Amino acid sequence: MKIPLLPPALVTPFHGFAILSGGALLASLLWPDPSVGRALFLQALVLLQGILALQIGEAEYGYGPVAPLARLFRLFFFSSLAVLLVIPYLLVHRAETASTWVGFLSSLLFLLAHGFVWAGIGHALPRVVRSDGLRFLVKYGGLILVTVVPVFFALPVSGIFVLPALWEGRSDGWPGLALYLGLGGLSASWWWRKQRHY
């Protein structure tokens, strides 16, 4: 399958994601309280990734007719490209926080699954919510609701809770990883079944 070119509509969001993620890393390195700084970059990163993934999904919806498996590949490719962009930042953060390689790799796996799931949501939303204004509210309001609110209850739905837990090697991050891998697998199987009837 041919490697897709980045659509023009996603060039600015990708640039913004890379710049803001770098800013979040710098802020975490300079934060006066190291215990806050350790989590700050990861929490900002997961929120920024969710925003970009929603934009990826919506851009893919407007891309035009594509075979289901090709669409699946494009969604996964662009959401993975976002993770690839921030790997240098993650390596710097690992060096600063002395995270284990298990924590680093499990965090990377979570980011891949997290981005793909939210890209799928971004792709599905235009079919469900036709109004641009209402869709904007549902899209970003839903992301904030799912990402921020569960943190107060330590629920594994929120990447803000899960990613730092995985990074630190804590077992309470594993249910969140399993959840997003499961959702990603369900999404991929849905596209696969759709291809068979294409």
Side-chain angles (χ1 to χ4, degrees):
M1 196 171 288
K2 189 169 67 172
I3 294 176
L5 295 175
L6 190 69
L10 289 177
V11 172
T12 299
F14 265 85
H15 282 165
F17 172 69
I19 292 167
L20 290 173
S21 297
L25 175 62
L26 184 61
S28 73
L29 294 174
L30 298 176
W31 201 267
D33 184 351
S35 62
V36 175
R38 286 178 70 88
L40 179 64
F41 168 62
L42 300 171
Q43 291 169 339
L45 177 61
V46 83
L47 186 59
L48 291 169
Q49 185 201 30
I51 293 170
L52 177 62
L54 286 168
Q55 292 173 324
I56 289 169
E58 195 162 12
E60 270 305 298
Y61 179 81
Y63 179 73
V66 175
L69 273 186
R71 182 75 73 196
L72 169 65
F73 176 73
R74 289 176 63 87
L75 286 170
F76 184 74
F77 177 82
F78 290 131
S79 58
S80 299
L81 181 61
V83 178
L84 187 64
L85 273 179
V86 295
I87 283 181
Y89 299 153
L90 289 166
L91 288 170
V92 170
H93 192 61
R94 180 187 175 273
E96 289 294 323
T97 58
S99 175
T100 65
W101 281 111
V102 172
F104 177 84
L105 293 174
S106 61
S107 298
L108 209 58
L109 186 59
F110 173 77
L111 286 170
L112 289 169
H114 180 264
F116 176 65
V117 167
W118 282 103
I121 292 170
H123 184 270
L125 271 178
R127 294 178 182 162
V128 180
V129 185
R130 299 290 183 180
S131 165
D132 289 342
L134 182 58
R135 187 167 64 250
F136 180 88
L137 291 174
V138 170
K139 183 169 61 175
Y140 296 114
L143 174 66
I144 291 169
L145 189 67
V146 171
T147 304
V148 176
V149 173
V151 173
F152 299 104
F153 306 99
L155 296 175
V157 176
S158 170
I160 287 181
F161 171 77
V162 175
L163 187 58
L166 291 171
W167 190 265
E168 298 288 343
R170 302 198 317 263
S171 60
D172 52 355
W174 291 106
L177 176 60
L179 173 66
Y180 275 91
L181 285 173
L183 289 173
L186 285 173
S187 177
S189 65
W190 183 83
W191 285 106
W192 186 270
R193 286 197 302 271
K194 192 175 177 182
Q195 175 72 26
R196 293 173 64 182
H197 301 289
Y198 180 68

